[in-house]
Amino acid sequence: MDAEDTGIDMTPSIERAVSIFDHWEEWSSKTPKGRVLKSDLKTLLRTATGEQLAWRQAYRAAEALEELSKGRIEFIDHDRHGKMLIEAQPARGGDCHSSSAATP
């Protein structure tokens, strides 16, 4: 889809956010509560885009990803791990549970 079709101004931060999203499964780690990316985002982006980035540029890309994903992937500042991207495990609805109710 072209930028004109989406109505989004394709800034370098948004292009880098798309790069993070495209590599999300590869770069992030699966945890019991979802997926997390807490490794060196600046280096990962440099490998993917070929750009030499400052930390602020990497942070802007992470902030743009949070906005574009409508909060599905959050950019947080964790007390122990520092800045990280996190995607919470979606709530599981409709799980089958056994029932003690008699069926006709």
Side-chain angles (χ1 to χ4, degrees), residues 20-57:
I20 298 168
F21 182 79
D22 287 345
H23 293 92
W24 181 249
E25 296 285 323
E26 175 187 350
W27 292 351
S28 63
S29 302
K30 188 173 180 181
T31 69
K33 294 185 178 183
R35 297 194 74 83
V36 66
L37 175 59
K38 57 183 175 184
S39 62
D40 192 1
L41 180 60
K42 190 169 83 164
T43 302
L44 293 169
L45 280 170
R46 180 179 54 219
T47 301
T49 65
E51 297 177 286
Q52 192 75 9
L53 301 174
W55 272 113
R56 187 65 200 137
Q57 291 169 300

Side-chain angles (χ1 to χ4, degrees), residues 76-84:
I76 64 167
D77 196 357
H78 192 275
D79 291 339
R80 254 188 331 193
H81 302 293
K83 294 198 179 288
M84 58 195 285

